[in-house]
Amino acid sequence: MATLCFHSPSKPISYFPPKSKPSPPPLSTKPSFFFRCRASVQTLVAVEPEPVFTSVKTFAPATVANLGPGFDFLGCAVDGLGDHVTLRVDPSVRAGEVSISEITGTTTKLSSNPLRNCAGIAAIATMKMLGIRSVGLSLDLHKGLPLGSGLGSSAASAAAAAVAVNEIFGRKLGKEALVLAGLESEAKVSGYHADNIAPAIMGGFVLIRSYEPLDLKQLRFPEDKELFFVLVSPEFEAPTKKMRAALPTEIPMVHHVWNSSQAAALVAAVLEGDAAMLGKALSSDKVVEPTRAPLIPGMEAVKKAALEAGAFGCTISGAGPTAVAVIDAAEKGEEIGERMVEAFMRGGNLKSVASVKKLDKVGARLVSSISR
């Protein structure tokens, strides 16, 4: 039995202690003895599985990460927005490899090199987990999410691809293993954080309790309670790397205590189905939002407009620029969205689009398949 190791942001170590410490190699899809194994590393399938389908189509939803004080450890999936992947067994593709055949949708400027594409990286990682050496795959990616939107665009592509590979070979891997495969992709494009990829794959709210080892906890929002997200996306790109670079390197103890209490309130609100308390906690970040909001034209005015219109809370979705507000009624959400759109134009001179979405409780899933 072999194991698949994942790149760690900390200093790599060797399986076989060298006489002198080597320089860390660049992240690669090729096996390397200098990748540090996490405690949650998945064991490869002992016997290479046969494909059970010749073709599958999967969908992965958009996600809202951070949720204010939950920076890098809390996120949720939202219904109705996301990416699709179509994956086929392709004899023309070299065995053990994946080829990206087509990219359509909101953007076509993504690389078709699977080593430089979120979907390709996640697909390769999943193939490695399964030990696929005898079959080649071709992949079509349909983007439903724009790049740099703050809605987990890269995670949606990675999640859809990882699930597609897993499905075509008979669903041998569990969801946490697929999150690890998606993290391979996230690590290359936006950093080693799971608050997008975990809910994209698992659905609902997901708490990342630990990264080493990876420890995920799904938080169940009560079935009998309503929760709606008002998502307002302006015509403005906020690259994740740029927005992360703006974060403070040190924070006052008083802000640490405050954000910790708000994050705890956020988790309690999810478990209790208390949309009002969830919104209040979501709006109360004193560490990340204050440094990022000034970089998004009109964001402060948008938050004020949402709250004045009756939203329980409002903050930046992920790294932005999308603003997210929460409410417990769809009709009220539509009115709030209109006010937020007006505020983006008035305060930031930005056109924007509003949508009202429910919580996606399923996560990435199979849409259709063709049996062998």
Side-chain angles (χ1 to χ4, degrees), residues 141-185:
L141 171 63
H142 181 77
K143 292 293 298 177
L145 296 172
L147 302 180
S149 61
L151 293 171
S153 179
S154 62
S157 297
V163 168
V165 173
N166 194 37
E167 291 287 345
I168 212 166
F169 290 103
R171 201 181 297 177
K172 303 293 184 182
L173 300 174
K175 288 189 175 182
E176 189 161 312
L178 298 180
V179 172
L180 279 172
L183 272 170
E184 278 281 275
S185 172

Side-chain angles (χ1 to χ4, degrees), residues 29 46 48 61 66 72-73 79 85 87 109 111 119 123 145 156 160 181 194-195 236 241 243 259 274 317 323 343:
T29 56
E48 180 182 355
N66 300 341
D72 272 8
F73 64 82
D79 185 50
V85 160
L87 191 70
K109 66 180 183 180
S111 173
L145 296 172
D195 48 347
F236 181 80
K241 289 183 179 180
M243 299 303 280
N259 263 41
D274 189 336
S317 177

